[in-house]
Amino acid sequence: MTIAHPTEPVFQLHRGTAPLLISLPHDGEVIPESLKARMVESARRAPDTDWHVSRLYDFARELGASILVPRYSRYVVDLNRPPDDTSLYPGQNTTGLCPAMQFSGEAVYLDGQSPDEAEVAERVELYWRPYHQTLVAELDRIRGEHGRAVLWEGHSIRGEVPFLFEGRLPDLNLGTSGGKTCLPELQAALEGLLAAQSDYDWIANGRFKGGYITRHYGDPEIGVQAVQLELSQRNYMDEDSFAYDEAKAARLQPLLRKLLSATLASQDA
């Protein structure tokens, strides 16, 4: 099967002035109508979107951060998966480059409508590659101007997803691939801020250790650190209706601001 070329830009980049790039690869929710017609009804709502994270992080513009946001859903192509679709969590349930399974364990596609290898390759070229080319170019620009850069990967997910993990996910899940993608000083600063507050529970390098983007681009030896923060959606939205909750978000955002501010401060050290 082939797919129509996108008629809208596949991402939006806000270029900032600070040595910080926030990437929100699962914020997109658009599914082309021709593709949506091949999906089961429950998948057409793009339920596994990282809902509203660009809205939640919008304050970061005031900190001078660059922000990269896709338009299209992870069901079109998952921007946080390697282009060869190698599993990031071997032995655990996960979803792929062009997901055929929802987080609920239900199928994404109607019988016989899943993409073949040629279509997956086409989606990579049309949707995946432009995002990553821009991400690399922006990191290079930031590093050229500041001599260093931090890539912050903003994600969110339902707090309970039995298909992917057991029990209740902590409120905030910090991932640095076991400390490989950032300097120990930044890791310690972020963990210190999380430990100093009591409103939210948290974990570092638990179920979510950082996806492809964090692991692939985080390289402290060349001056690029990377951190992933996976938020439980219950803390800023209604998980069932997908509605943004202004009151919950306003309570969470000061902590996010502290984490980003500490990240920037670490760049000045």
Side-chain angles (χ1 to χ4, degrees), residues 10-264:
V10 298
F11 61 84
Q12 183 177 49
L13 172 65
H14 166 76
R15 184 167 286 136
T17 57
L20 173 63
L21 171 60
I22 298 174
S23 165
L24 307 173
H26 295 150
D27 181 84
E29 59 188 85
V30 174
I31 302 173
E33 289 300 321
S34 60
L35 183 55
K36 193 179 291 186
R38 293 161 51 192
M39 295 180 173
V40 300
E41 184 65 32
S42 59
R44 294 173 188 172
R45 296 179 66 204
D48 301 331
T49 301
D50 291 13
W51 294 101
H52 312 296
V53 288
S54 58
R55 183 174 178 181
L56 190 67
Y57 276 100
D58 192 59
F59 71 87
R61 295 169 183 250
E62 302 168 11
L63 302 177
S66 295
I67 305 176
L68 182 60
V69 186
R71 173 178 174 79
Y72 291 92
S73 168
R74 73 192 301 159
Y75 284 177
V76 178
V77 69
D78 192 329
L79 300 169
N80 201 31
R81 295 292 184 273
D84 63 1
D85 208 12
T86 301
S87 177
L88 296 170
Y89 295 97
Q92 300 184 56
N93 284 342
T94 185
T95 55
L97 180 61
C98 291
M101 193 79 72
Q102 301 178 50
F103 289 173
S104 64
E106 301 172 81
V108 170
Y109 293 94
L110 299 165
D111 288 346
Q113 295 297 314
S114 297
D116 58 18
E117 288 186 11
E119 182 181 345
V120 171
E122 187 176 17
R123 293 192 202 180
V124 167
E125 290 302 315
L126 293 176
Y127 299 94
W128 189 97
R129 206 163 301 284
Y131 188 90
H132 283 262
Q133 289 171 339
T134 299
L135 190 153
V136 170
E138 185 63 7
L139 285 175
D140 287 346
R141 181 193 70 80
I142 291 171
R143 195 164 46 137
E145 290 186 9
H146 300 276
R148 64 214 181 281
V150 174
L151 173 60
W152 185 277
E153 276 284 294
H155 293 264
S156 74
I157 192 171
R158 289 180 69 99
E160 296 184 22
V161 186
F163 179 71
L164 297 181
F165 51 82
E166 294 182 2
R168 173 189 177 279
L169 192 70
D171 296 325
L172 295 98
N173 302 263
L174 198 66
T176 60
S177 191
K180 297 176 184 176
T181 63
C182 76
L183 294 172
E185 294 83 359
L186 177 55
Q187 178 97 27
L190 296 174
E191 290 190 18
L193 281 171
L194 292 172
Q197 57 80 45
S198 58
D199 291 333
Y200 303 98
D201 57 2
W202 63 281
I203 193 170
N205 293 305
R207 171 60 177 85
F208 294 97
K209 297 177 173 62
Y212 172 76
I213 293 175
T214 301
R215 301 185 200 188
H216 185 72
Y217 296 111
D219 187 349
E221 291 189 2
I222 65 168
V224 178
Q225 300 184 75
V227 175
Q228 176 176 299
L229 183 63
E230 186 87 49
L231 300 169
S232 286
Q233 292 176 341
R234 61 177 173 266
N235 294 303
Y236 71 92
M237 59 175 277
D238 181 84
E239 293 183 317
D240 295 321
S241 69
F242 308 148
Y244 191 75
D245 188 315
E246 291 276 7
K248 287 183 177 180
R251 183 168 173 258
L252 175 61
Q253 283 172 320
L255 177 56
L256 297 181
R257 182 183 285 268
K258 287 181 180 180
L259 293 170
L260 294 182
S261 295
T263 299
L264 284 170

